[in-house]
Amino acid sequence: MSQNEKFDALNRVLVAFIESTDAMKKAAVDMSPEAALMTGQWLKCPKLEEKMVEYKTRSDALSGSCTRLSLVDLANMPVDALQSLFDEILQISHGLISTVMALFGMKLSRPLFDEVHRLAKAELTQVHGLVVSIHTGRFESCMAAIGQVWEMNEAIQKLPLTNKVAYKRALMGVLCVVKDTHREFKEARDESAELNKNKSLGEDEDEDEDEGVDKNMDDGWGVMMDDEEDGGFSPEEMPYVNAALSLMEKTFTFIKVTMDVMALLSEHPPSSTVFTMESTAHLDVEVWVATVFNIDKQFSTLVTNLGMELYAPLSLNSLQVQYDITYAGIAEVQQQLLEVYETCQKHNFFNEQSDTKMKNLLGGTKELLTQIDLERVCFISL
């Protein structure tokens, strides 16, 4: 095959894969809510782990081929050597694509599917760009593409091997968003409280006057800033801000509880006769985990949107709407927690110790939801 034929073959393979992964992603998004749960294998699955290790190995090999490209003078590289590298990249890409497509055919959870899809597409898109740059003689852009391939490979090497770990990492990401949002507005609330206190004590005197600055020397900046909002919350707004912060804090707790329940489900011995790959109990657990994850992951957006409503100027109507949407999400999580407990009782899933832990968790969330209900009533009546 000529160099052009080798390029065309590699180009077709890469473009076809990129298009097919996009089609698979769209199909998953367009499914009905029930079908789109993407219930991941919950029990330990050696085949899945082996295929993930294979994916990482092939990605590493592809990165190695790109590294060799970075070590040569592409502009003066012999045609035979360049064709040999094209052959190598084509062969490795074929293997990597085959592995990724095999993974897509397994029971991947939504978070693991999304990460494999995102990174595989990104890596092979960069490889495609690299091959096109070499073929068209645009060697100056090759190093940037090679660097991106290295970066994607590093991320691929950090991918979890199991659905359980993928769920945990994804939920930890949600927790970080909720925690950071809560911290940001708690600090703003505390600063505003101090400012309001100082104002009430008459301590907000103009510093220029205190220092005897000549007003005739004003450069106009102070005049321009006179109309600016200080971004703080007024005393009248404080009850609404406190209610929103309390809801964020309780959202954080509910997500942690769902993670604790997942941990309890993981403690159950896989050898149990009621929990096998084909058992109803196992399938029920997979559906529950996928369902509650789909709810929990929305809290990143819900809490962020709730925080956005706390920026000046505060719109109390918009804040209440977002408050209610977030509240509905928490109530839905509580309902799912009750349902999974009923499922576990039906299958005699928990031993006595795990059952006690589950009851304690549910008792805590029930009390939290009662507090939220009371705070919501107060919020509406403000």
PDB file of all heavy atoms in Angstrom, residues 171-183 244-260 296 299-300 303 326 330 333 365 368 372:
ATOM      1  N   LEU A 171     -20.129  10.317  42.598  1.00  0.00           N
ATOM      2  CA  LEU A 171     -20.873  10.928  43.701  1.00  0.00           C
ATOM      3  C   LEU A 171     -19.958  11.807  44.557  1.00  0.00           C
ATOM      4  O   LEU A 171     -20.409  12.818  45.107  1.00  0.00           O
ATOM      5  CB  LEU A 171     -21.532   9.851  44.557  1.00  0.00           C
ATOM      6  CG  LEU A 171     -22.710   9.136  43.881  1.00  0.00           C
ATOM      7  CD1 LEU A 171     -23.243   8.013  44.755  1.00  0.00           C
ATOM      8  CD2 LEU A 171     -23.829  10.116  43.558  1.00  0.00           C
ATOM      9  N   MET A 172     -18.689  11.438  44.665  1.00  0.00           N
ATOM     10  CA  MET A 172     -17.741  12.302  45.374  1.00  0.00           C
ATOM     11  C   MET A 172     -17.608  13.641  44.651  1.00  0.00           C
ATOM     12  O   MET A 172     -17.486  14.694  45.281  1.00  0.00           O
ATOM     13  CB  MET A 172     -16.381  11.615  45.470  1.00  0.00           C
ATOM     14  CG  MET A 172     -16.308  10.473  46.476  1.00  0.00           C
ATOM     15  SD  MET A 172     -16.591  11.017  48.185  1.00  0.00           S
ATOM     16  CE  MET A 172     -15.144  12.035  48.450  1.00  0.00           C
ATOM     17  N   GLY A 173     -17.659  13.598  43.314  1.00  0.00           N
ATOM     18  CA  GLY A 173     -17.626  14.832  42.543  1.00  0.00           C
ATOM     19  C   GLY A 173     -18.829  15.713  42.831  1.00  0.00           C
ATOM     20  O   GLY A 173     -18.710  16.938  42.950  1.00  0.00           O
ATOM     21  N   VAL A 174     -20.013  15.076  42.956  1.00  0.00           N
ATOM     22  CA  VAL A 174     -21.230  15.823  43.285  1.00  0.00           C
ATOM     23  C   VAL A 174     -21.100  16.441  44.677  1.00  0.00           C
ATOM     24  O   VAL A 174     -21.450  17.607  44.894  1.00  0.00           O
ATOM     25  CB  VAL A 174     -22.471  14.906  43.215  1.00  0.00           C
ATOM     26  CG1 VAL A 174     -23.727  15.663  43.652  1.00  0.00           C
ATOM     27  CG2 VAL A 174     -22.659  14.353  41.809  1.00  0.00           C
ATOM     28  N   LEU A 175     -20.582  15.648  45.623  1.00  0.00           N
ATOM     29  CA  LEU A 175     -20.396  16.153  46.983  1.00  0.00           C
ATOM     30  C   LEU A 175     -19.486  17.383  47.000  1.00  0.00           C
ATOM     31  O   LEU A 175     -19.746  18.345  47.724  1.00  0.00           O
ATOM     32  CB  LEU A 175     -19.790  15.060  47.872  1.00  0.00           C
ATOM     33  CG  LEU A 175     -20.744  13.990  48.406  1.00  0.00           C
ATOM     34  CD1 LEU A 175     -19.956  12.942  49.185  1.00  0.00           C
ATOM     35  CD2 LEU A 175     -21.815  14.599  49.302  1.00  0.00           C
ATOM     36  N   CYS A 176     -18.426  17.349  46.199  1.00  0.00           N
ATOM     37  CA  CYS A 176     -17.495  18.483  46.157  1.00  0.00           C
ATOM     38  C   CYS A 176     -18.188  19.746  45.648  1.00  0.00           C
ATOM     39  O   CYS A 176     -17.972  20.841  46.186  1.00  0.00           O
ATOM     40  CB  CYS A 176     -16.305  18.152  45.264  1.00  0.00           C
ATOM     41  SG  CYS A 176     -15.153  16.968  45.993  1.00  0.00           S
ATOM     42  N   VAL A 177     -19.037  19.593  44.622  1.00  0.00           N
ATOM     43  CA  VAL A 177     -19.766  20.749  44.084  1.00  0.00           C
ATOM     44  C   VAL A 177     -20.687  21.333  45.155  1.00  0.00           C
ATOM     45  O   VAL A 177     -20.734  22.553  45.368  1.00  0.00           O
ATOM     46  CB  VAL A 177     -20.580  20.349  42.838  1.00  0.00           C
ATOM     47  CG1 VAL A 177     -21.502  21.494  42.406  1.00  0.00           C
ATOM     48  CG2 VAL A 177     -19.651  19.973  41.689  1.00  0.00           C
ATOM     49  N   VAL A 178     -21.430  20.456  45.830  1.00  0.00           N
ATOM     50  CA  VAL A 178     -22.373  20.910  46.864  1.00  0.00           C
ATOM     51  C   VAL A 178     -21.612  21.579  48.011  1.00  0.00           C
ATOM     52  O   VAL A 178     -21.997  22.659  48.487  1.00  0.00           O
ATOM     53  CB  VAL A 178     -23.211  19.723  47.389  1.00  0.00           C
ATOM     54  CG1 VAL A 178     -24.085  20.162  48.560  1.00  0.00           C
ATOM     55  CG2 VAL A 178     -24.078  19.156  46.271  1.00  0.00           C
ATOM     56  N   LYS A 179     -20.520  20.951  48.441  1.00  0.00           N
ATOM     57  CA  LYS A 179     -19.737  21.495  49.556  1.00  0.00           C
ATOM     58  C   LYS A 179     -19.134  22.844  49.204  1.00  0.00           C
ATOM     59  O   LYS A 179     -19.177  23.785  50.017  1.00  0.00           O
ATOM     60  CB  LYS A 179     -18.629  20.499  49.920  1.00  0.00           C
ATOM     61  CG  LYS A 179     -17.808  20.908  51.139  1.00  0.00           C
ATOM     62  CD  LYS A 179     -16.767  19.846  51.465  1.00  0.00           C
ATOM     63  CE  LYS A 179     -15.955  20.228  52.695  1.00  0.00           C
ATOM     64  NZ  LYS A 179     -14.942  19.185  53.022  1.00  0.00           N
ATOM     65  N   ASP A 180     -18.565  22.968  48.006  1.00  0.00           N
ATOM     66  CA  ASP A 180     -17.936  24.231  47.600  1.00  0.00           C
ATOM     67  C   ASP A 180     -18.969  25.350  47.469  1.00  0.00           C
ATOM     68  O   ASP A 180     -18.703  26.495  47.852  1.00  0.00           O
ATOM     69  CB  ASP A 180     -17.208  24.052  46.269  1.00  0.00           C
ATOM     70  CG  ASP A 180     -15.951  23.194  46.395  1.00  0.00           C
ATOM     71  OD1 ASP A 180     -15.515  22.955  47.542  1.00  0.00           O
ATOM     72  OD2 ASP A 180     -15.428  22.749  45.361  1.00  0.00           O
ATOM     73  N   THR A 181     -20.143  25.005  46.918  1.00  0.00           N
ATOM     74  CA  THR A 181     -21.201  26.017  46.780  1.00  0.00           C
ATOM     75  C   THR A 181     -21.668  26.485  48.142  1.00  0.00           C
ATOM     76  O   THR A 181     -21.848  27.691  48.382  1.00  0.00           O
ATOM     77  CB  THR A 181     -22.384  25.446  45.975  1.00  0.00           C
ATOM     78  OG1 THR A 181     -21.930  24.950  44.719  1.00  0.00           O
ATOM     79  CG2 THR A 181     -23.446  26.518  45.735  1.00  0.00           C
ATOM     80  N   HIS A 182     -21.869  25.534  49.047  1.00  0.00           N
ATOM     81  CA  HIS A 182     -22.302  25.876  50.402  1.00  0.00           C
ATOM     82  C   HIS A 182     -21.257  26.761  51.090  1.00  0.00           C
ATOM     83  O   HIS A 182     -21.604  27.771  51.728  1.00  0.00           O
ATOM     84  CB  HIS A 182     -22.526  24.600  51.220  1.00  0.00           C
ATOM     85  CG  HIS A 182     -22.932  24.858  52.643  1.00  0.00           C
ATOM     86  ND1 HIS A 182     -22.009  24.950  53.665  1.00  0.00           N
ATOM     87  CD2 HIS A 182     -24.154  25.061  53.204  1.00  0.00           C
ATOM     88  CE1 HIS A 182     -22.648  25.183  54.803  1.00  0.00           C
ATOM     89  NE2 HIS A 182     -23.943  25.260  54.550  1.00  0.00           N
ATOM     90  N   ARG A 183     -19.982  26.406  50.958  1.00  0.00           N
ATOM     91  CA  ARG A 183     -18.927  27.185  51.612  1.00  0.00           C
ATOM     92  C   ARG A 183     -18.873  28.611  51.072  1.00  0.00           C
ATOM     93  O   ARG A 183     -18.729  29.581  51.841  1.00  0.00           O
ATOM     94  CB  ARG A 183     -17.571  26.497  51.412  1.00  0.00           C
ATOM     95  CG  ARG A 183     -16.425  27.261  52.077  1.00  0.00           C
ATOM     96  CD  ARG A 183     -15.105  26.519  52.016  1.00  0.00           C
ATOM     97  NE  ARG A 183     -14.702  26.282  50.641  1.00  0.00           N
ATOM     98  CZ  ARG A 183     -14.524  25.078  50.133  1.00  0.00           C
ATOM     99  NH1 ARG A 183     -14.744  24.009  50.884  1.00  0.00           N
ATOM    100  NH2 ARG A 183     -14.140  24.928  48.882  1.00  0.00           N
ATOM    101  N   ALA A 244     -31.672  28.623  52.327  1.00  0.00           N
ATOM    102  CA  ALA A 244     -31.001  28.008  51.170  1.00  0.00           C
ATOM    103  C   ALA A 244     -29.745  27.268  51.610  1.00  0.00           C
ATOM    104  O   ALA A 244     -29.463  26.153  51.152  1.00  0.00           O
ATOM    105  CB  ALA A 244     -30.662  29.071  50.131  1.00  0.00           C
ATOM    106  N   LEU A 245     -28.984  27.874  52.525  1.00  0.00           N
ATOM    107  CA  LEU A 245     -27.765  27.227  53.018  1.00  0.00           C
ATOM    108  C   LEU A 245     -28.092  25.951  53.784  1.00  0.00           C
ATOM    109  O   LEU A 245     -27.387  24.942  53.663  1.00  0.00           O
ATOM    110  CB  LEU A 245     -26.990  28.198  53.919  1.00  0.00           C
ATOM    111  CG  LEU A 245     -26.242  29.325  53.207  1.00  0.00           C
ATOM    112  CD1 LEU A 245     -25.680  30.317  54.218  1.00  0.00           C
ATOM    113  CD2 LEU A 245     -25.119  28.766  52.349  1.00  0.00           C
ATOM    114  N   SER A 246     -29.147  25.990  54.557  1.00  0.00           N
ATOM    115  CA  SER A 246     -29.566  24.801  55.298  1.00  0.00           C
ATOM    116  C   SER A 246     -29.954  23.674  54.355  1.00  0.00           C
ATOM    117  O   SER A 246     -29.628  22.506  54.582  1.00  0.00           O
ATOM    118  CB  SER A 246     -30.750  25.145  56.212  1.00  0.00           C
ATOM    119  OG  SER A 246     -31.194  23.990  56.908  1.00  0.00           O
ATOM    120  N   LEU A 247     -30.630  24.018  53.268  1.00  0.00           N
ATOM    121  CA  LEU A 247     -31.025  23.004  52.287  1.00  0.00           C
ATOM    122  C   LEU A 247     -29.796  22.409  51.600  1.00  0.00           C
ATOM    123  O   LEU A 247     -29.736  21.193  51.351  1.00  0.00           O
ATOM    124  CB  LEU A 247     -31.965  23.624  51.254  1.00  0.00           C
ATOM    125  CG  LEU A 247     -32.646  22.636  50.297  1.00  0.00           C
ATOM    126  CD1 LEU A 247     -33.543  21.676  51.054  1.00  0.00           C
ATOM    127  CD2 LEU A 247     -33.450  23.373  49.237  1.00  0.00           C
ATOM    128  N   MET A 248     -28.816  23.248  51.286  1.00  0.00           N
ATOM    129  CA  MET A 248     -27.574  22.735  50.687  1.00  0.00           C
ATOM    130  C   MET A 248     -26.889  21.750  51.625  1.00  0.00           C
ATOM    131  O   MET A 248     -26.405  20.688  51.203  1.00  0.00           O
ATOM    132  CB  MET A 248     -26.612  23.898  50.398  1.00  0.00           C
ATOM    133  CG  MET A 248     -27.038  24.830  49.281  1.00  0.00           C
ATOM    134  SD  MET A 248     -25.789  26.141  49.060  1.00  0.00           S
ATOM    135  CE  MET A 248     -26.654  27.251  47.953  1.00  0.00           C
ATOM    136  N   GLU A 249     -26.839  22.112  52.901  1.00  0.00           N
ATOM    137  CA  GLU A 249     -26.182  21.259  53.888  1.00  0.00           C
ATOM    138  C   GLU A 249     -26.877  19.902  54.009  1.00  0.00           C
ATOM    139  O   GLU A 249     -26.226  18.852  54.068  1.00  0.00           O
ATOM    140  CB  GLU A 249     -26.180  21.971  55.242  1.00  0.00           C
ATOM    141  CG  GLU A 249     -25.298  21.314  56.279  1.00  0.00           C
ATOM    142  CD  GLU A 249     -25.188  22.136  57.556  1.00  0.00           C
ATOM    143  OE1 GLU A 249     -25.746  23.253  57.596  1.00  0.00           O
ATOM    144  OE2 GLU A 249     -24.551  21.661  58.506  1.00  0.00           O
ATOM    145  N   LYS A 250     -28.194  19.916  53.982  1.00  0.00           N
ATOM    146  CA  LYS A 250     -28.948  18.665  54.102  1.00  0.00           C
ATOM    147  C   LYS A 250     -28.860  17.847  52.808  1.00  0.00           C
ATOM    148  O   LYS A 250     -28.897  16.607  52.839  1.00  0.00           O
ATOM    149  CB  LYS A 250     -30.394  18.967  54.476  1.00  0.00           C
ATOM    150  CG  LYS A 250     -30.527  19.490  55.916  1.00  0.00           C
ATOM    151  CD  LYS A 250     -31.949  19.879  56.252  1.00  0.00           C
ATOM    152  CE  LYS A 250     -32.069  20.248  57.730  1.00  0.00           C
ATOM    153  NZ  LYS A 250     -31.224  21.416  58.097  1.00  0.00           N
ATOM    154  N   THR A 251     -28.737  18.522  51.667  1.00  0.00           N
ATOM    155  CA  THR A 251     -28.518  17.815  50.410  1.00  0.00           C
ATOM    156  C   THR A 251     -27.214  17.030  50.474  1.00  0.00           C
ATOM    157  O   THR A 251     -27.143  15.862  50.061  1.00  0.00           O
ATOM    158  CB  THR A 251     -28.452  18.817  49.228  1.00  0.00           C
ATOM    159  OG1 THR A 251     -29.685  19.534  49.147  1.00  0.00           O
ATOM    160  CG2 THR A 251     -28.217  18.093  47.915  1.00  0.00           C
ATOM    161  N   PHE A 252     -26.184  17.665  50.997  1.00  0.00           N
ATOM    162  CA  PHE A 252     -24.880  17.016  51.175  1.00  0.00           C
ATOM    163  C   PHE A 252     -25.039  15.748  52.021  1.00  0.00           C
ATOM    164  O   PHE A 252     -24.493  14.682  51.683  1.00  0.00           O
ATOM    165  CB  PHE A 252     -23.923  17.998  51.849  1.00  0.00           C
ATOM    166  CG  PHE A 252     -22.518  17.499  52.018  1.00  0.00           C
ATOM    167  CD1 PHE A 252     -21.581  17.687  51.015  1.00  0.00           C
ATOM    168  CD2 PHE A 252     -22.126  16.832  53.176  1.00  0.00           C
ATOM    169  CE1 PHE A 252     -20.276  17.233  51.165  1.00  0.00           C
ATOM    170  CE2 PHE A 252     -20.833  16.365  53.327  1.00  0.00           C
ATOM    171  CZ  PHE A 252     -19.899  16.576  52.324  1.00  0.00           C
ATOM    172  N   THR A 253     -25.799  15.852  53.103  1.00  0.00           N
ATOM    173  CA  THR A 253     -25.999  14.706  53.994  1.00  0.00           C
ATOM    174  C   THR A 253     -26.728  13.574  53.286  1.00  0.00           C
ATOM    175  O   THR A 253     -26.366  12.398  53.427  1.00  0.00           O
ATOM    176  CB  THR A 253     -26.799  15.136  55.240  1.00  0.00           C
ATOM    177  OG1 THR A 253     -26.083  16.172  55.922  1.00  0.00           O
ATOM    178  CG2 THR A 253     -27.011  13.963  56.183  1.00  0.00           C
ATOM    179  N   PHE A 254     -27.749  13.901  52.503  1.00  0.00           N
ATOM    180  CA  PHE A 254     -28.515  12.863  51.796  1.00  0.00           C
ATOM    181  C   PHE A 254     -27.644  12.120  50.785  1.00  0.00           C
ATOM    182  O   PHE A 254     -27.752  10.909  50.634  1.00  0.00           O
ATOM    183  CB  PHE A 254     -29.737  13.474  51.105  1.00  0.00           C
ATOM    184  CG  PHE A 254     -30.992  13.379  51.915  1.00  0.00           C
ATOM    185  CD1 PHE A 254     -31.284  14.325  52.881  1.00  0.00           C
ATOM    186  CD2 PHE A 254     -31.870  12.325  51.739  1.00  0.00           C
ATOM    187  CE1 PHE A 254     -32.435  14.237  53.643  1.00  0.00           C
ATOM    188  CE2 PHE A 254     -33.030  12.224  52.485  1.00  0.00           C
ATOM    189  CZ  PHE A 254     -33.319  13.176  53.442  1.00  0.00           C
ATOM    190  N   ILE A 255     -26.777  12.842  50.088  1.00  0.00           N
ATOM    191  CA  ILE A 255     -25.890  12.175  49.130  1.00  0.00           C
ATOM    192  C   ILE A 255     -24.942  11.234  49.862  1.00  0.00           C
ATOM    193  O   ILE A 255     -24.683  10.110  49.416  1.00  0.00           O
ATOM    194  CB  ILE A 255     -25.097  13.208  48.307  1.00  0.00           C
ATOM    195  CG1 ILE A 255     -26.046  14.097  47.504  1.00  0.00           C
ATOM    196  CG2 ILE A 255     -24.126  12.516  47.348  1.00  0.00           C
ATOM    197  CD1 ILE A 255     -25.372  15.292  46.852  1.00  0.00           C
ATOM    198  N   LYS A 256     -24.411  11.676  51.007  1.00  0.00           N
ATOM    199  CA  LYS A 256     -23.527  10.819  51.796  1.00  0.00           C
ATOM    200  C   LYS A 256     -24.250   9.564  52.265  1.00  0.00           C
ATOM    201  O   LYS A 256     -23.670   8.473  52.296  1.00  0.00           O
ATOM    202  CB  LYS A 256     -22.979  11.591  52.998  1.00  0.00           C
ATOM    203  CG  LYS A 256     -21.900  12.602  52.645  1.00  0.00           C
ATOM    204  CD  LYS A 256     -21.261  13.194  53.884  1.00  0.00           C
ATOM    205  CE  LYS A 256     -20.471  12.155  54.654  1.00  0.00           C
ATOM    206  NZ  LYS A 256     -19.768  12.746  55.814  1.00  0.00           N
ATOM    207  N   VAL A 257     -25.525   9.713  52.618  1.00  0.00           N
ATOM    208  CA  VAL A 257     -26.296   8.542  53.067  1.00  0.00           C
ATOM    209  C   VAL A 257     -26.448   7.534  51.935  1.00  0.00           C
ATOM    210  O   VAL A 257     -26.313   6.323  52.149  1.00  0.00           O
ATOM    211  CB  VAL A 257     -27.687   8.972  53.602  1.00  0.00           C
ATOM    212  CG1 VAL A 257     -28.598   7.754  53.779  1.00  0.00           C
ATOM    213  CG2 VAL A 257     -27.542   9.707  54.927  1.00  0.00           C
ATOM    214  N   THR A 258     -26.732   8.008  50.732  1.00  0.00           N
ATOM    215  CA  THR A 258     -26.860   7.067  49.611  1.00  0.00           C
ATOM    216  C   THR A 258     -25.537   6.331  49.379  1.00  0.00           C
ATOM    217  O   THR A 258     -25.536   5.140  49.040  1.00  0.00           O
ATOM    218  CB  THR A 258     -27.281   7.780  48.313  1.00  0.00           C
ATOM    219  OG1 THR A 258     -26.316   8.762  47.961  1.00  0.00           O
ATOM    220  CG2 THR A 258     -28.631   8.438  48.463  1.00  0.00           C
ATOM    221  N   MET A 259     -24.423   7.021  49.584  1.00  0.00           N
ATOM    222  CA  MET A 259     -23.126   6.359  49.456  1.00  0.00           C
ATOM    223  C   MET A 259     -22.923   5.335  50.568  1.00  0.00           C
ATOM    224  O   MET A 259     -22.361   4.252  50.347  1.00  0.00           O
ATOM    225  CB  MET A 259     -22.000   7.396  49.470  1.00  0.00           C
ATOM    226  CG  MET A 259     -22.019   8.321  48.258  1.00  0.00           C
ATOM    227  SD  MET A 259     -20.729   9.603  48.306  1.00  0.00           S
ATOM    228  CE  MET A 259     -19.257   8.603  48.085  1.00  0.00           C
ATOM    229  N   ASP A 260     -23.407   5.648  51.765  1.00  0.00           N
ATOM    230  CA  ASP A 260     -23.321   4.697  52.878  1.00  0.00           C
ATOM    231  C   ASP A 260     -24.162   3.448  52.594  1.00  0.00           C
ATOM    232  O   ASP A 260     -23.759   2.328  52.929  1.00  0.00           O
ATOM    233  CB  ASP A 260     -23.806   5.353  54.176  1.00  0.00           C
ATOM    234  CG  ASP A 260     -22.843   6.412  54.690  1.00  0.00           C
ATOM    235  OD1 ASP A 260     -21.652   6.363  54.294  1.00  0.00           O
ATOM    236  OD2 ASP A 260     -23.269   7.289  55.459  1.00  0.00           O
ATOM    237  N   ASP A 296     -29.071  11.677  42.337  1.00  0.00           N
ATOM    238  CA  ASP A 296     -28.013  12.370  43.071  1.00  0.00           C
ATOM    239  C   ASP A 296     -27.150  13.248  42.172  1.00  0.00           C
ATOM    240  O   ASP A 296     -26.729  14.339  42.573  1.00  0.00           O
ATOM    241  CB  ASP A 296     -27.117  11.352  43.789  1.00  0.00           C
ATOM    242  CG  ASP A 296     -27.701  10.904  45.118  1.00  0.00           C
ATOM    243  OD1 ASP A 296     -28.772  11.420  45.489  1.00  0.00           O
ATOM    244  OD2 ASP A 296     -27.100  10.046  45.792  1.00  0.00           O
ATOM    245  N   PHE A 299     -27.941  16.885  41.665  1.00  0.00           N
ATOM    246  CA  PHE A 299     -27.741  17.867  42.721  1.00  0.00           C
ATOM    247  C   PHE A 299     -26.587  18.817  42.416  1.00  0.00           C
ATOM    248  O   PHE A 299     -26.531  19.916  42.957  1.00  0.00           O
ATOM    249  CB  PHE A 299     -27.525  17.178  44.074  1.00  0.00           C
ATOM    250  CG  PHE A 299     -28.786  16.626  44.678  1.00  0.00           C
ATOM    251  CD1 PHE A 299     -28.889  15.294  45.021  1.00  0.00           C
ATOM    252  CD2 PHE A 299     -29.883  17.443  44.881  1.00  0.00           C
ATOM    253  CE1 PHE A 299     -30.052  14.780  45.571  1.00  0.00           C
ATOM    254  CE2 PHE A 299     -31.064  16.948  45.423  1.00  0.00           C
ATOM    255  CZ  PHE A 299     -31.144  15.610  45.775  1.00  0.00           C
ATOM    256  N   SER A 300     -25.638  18.395  41.568  1.00  0.00           N
ATOM    257  CA  SER A 300     -24.576  19.331  41.150  1.00  0.00           C
ATOM    258  C   SER A 300     -25.204  20.560  40.506  1.00  0.00           C
ATOM    259  O   SER A 300     -24.871  21.699  40.845  1.00  0.00           O
ATOM    260  CB  SER A 300     -23.639  18.655  40.138  1.00  0.00           C
ATOM    261  OG  SER A 300     -22.863  17.669  40.737  1.00  0.00           O
ATOM    262  N   VAL A 303     -27.985  22.419  43.136  1.00  0.00           N
ATOM    263  CA  VAL A 303     -27.391  23.260  44.185  1.00  0.00           C
ATOM    264  C   VAL A 303     -26.652  24.448  43.573  1.00  0.00           C
ATOM    265  O   VAL A 303     -26.673  25.549  44.121  1.00  0.00           O
ATOM    266  CB  VAL A 303     -26.457  22.408  45.074  1.00  0.00           C
ATOM    267  CG1 VAL A 303     -25.654  23.301  46.020  1.00  0.00           C
ATOM    268  CG2 VAL A 303     -27.275  21.396  45.880  1.00  0.00           C
ATOM    269  N   THR A 326     -35.007  21.728  44.393  1.00  0.00           N
ATOM    270  CA  THR A 326     -33.992  20.992  45.153  1.00  0.00           C
ATOM    271  C   THR A 326     -34.643  20.147  46.242  1.00  0.00           C
ATOM    272  O   THR A 326     -34.263  18.989  46.467  1.00  0.00           O
ATOM    273  CB  THR A 326     -32.979  21.971  45.774  1.00  0.00           C
ATOM    274  OG1 THR A 326     -32.475  22.849  44.752  1.00  0.00           O
ATOM    275  CG2 THR A 326     -31.816  21.217  46.400  1.00  0.00           C
ATOM    276  N   ILE A 330     -34.510  15.923  47.015  1.00  0.00           N
ATOM    277  CA  ILE A 330     -34.213  15.269  48.293  1.00  0.00           C
ATOM    278  C   ILE A 330     -35.335  14.318  48.677  1.00  0.00           C
ATOM    279  O   ILE A 330     -35.096  13.187  49.127  1.00  0.00           O
ATOM    280  CB  ILE A 330     -34.010  16.329  49.397  1.00  0.00           C
ATOM    281  CG1 ILE A 330     -32.723  17.114  49.118  1.00  0.00           C
ATOM    282  CG2 ILE A 330     -33.956  15.676  50.765  1.00  0.00           C
ATOM    283  CD1 ILE A 330     -32.452  18.225  50.095  1.00  0.00           C
ATOM    284  N   VAL A 333     -35.008  11.153  46.740  1.00  0.00           N
ATOM    285  CA  VAL A 333     -33.941  10.288  47.269  1.00  0.00           C
ATOM    286  C   VAL A 333     -34.451   9.515  48.485  1.00  0.00           C
ATOM    287  O   VAL A 333     -34.204   8.315  48.625  1.00  0.00           O
ATOM    288  CB  VAL A 333     -32.696  11.122  47.646  1.00  0.00           C
ATOM    289  CG1 VAL A 333     -31.694  10.262  48.408  1.00  0.00           C
ATOM    290  CG2 VAL A 333     -32.042  11.686  46.403  1.00  0.00           C
ATOM    291  N   THR A 365     -32.315  10.163  57.983  1.00  0.00           N
ATOM    292  CA  THR A 365     -32.828  10.902  56.823  1.00  0.00           C
ATOM    293  C   THR A 365     -34.280  11.320  57.025  1.00  0.00           C
ATOM    294  O   THR A 365     -34.696  12.387  56.569  1.00  0.00           O
ATOM    295  CB  THR A 365     -32.715  10.066  55.536  1.00  0.00           C
ATOM    296  OG1 THR A 365     -33.404   8.818  55.705  1.00  0.00           O
ATOM    297  CG2 THR A 365     -31.266   9.806  55.195  1.00  0.00           C
ATOM    298  N   LEU A 368     -34.153  14.355  59.108  1.00  0.00           N
ATOM    299  CA  LEU A 368     -33.691  15.473  58.288  1.00  0.00           C
ATOM    300  C   LEU A 368     -34.807  15.995  57.391  1.00  0.00           C
ATOM    301  O   LEU A 368     -34.996  17.209  57.248  1.00  0.00           O
ATOM    302  CB  LEU A 368     -32.509  15.040  57.420  1.00  0.00           C
ATOM    303  CG  LEU A 368     -31.102  15.193  57.991  1.00  0.00           C
ATOM    304  CD1 LEU A 368     -30.079  14.708  56.982  1.00  0.00           C
ATOM    305  CD2 LEU A 368     -30.820  16.639  58.368  1.00  0.00           C
ATOM    306  N   ILE A 372     -36.468  19.660  57.077  1.00  0.00           N
ATOM    307  CA  ILE A 372     -36.575  20.393  55.810  1.00  0.00           C
ATOM    308  C   ILE A 372     -38.020  20.823  55.564  1.00  0.00           C
ATOM    309  O   ILE A 372     -38.279  21.942  55.105  1.00  0.00           O
ATOM    310  CB  ILE A 372     -36.069  19.523  54.640  1.00  0.00           C
ATOM    311  CG1 ILE A 372     -34.583  19.240  54.798  1.00  0.00           C
ATOM    312  CG2 ILE A 372     -36.308  20.230  53.304  1.00  0.00           C
ATOM    313  CD1 ILE A 372     -34.042  18.236  53.803  1.00  0.00           C
TER     314      ILE A 372
END
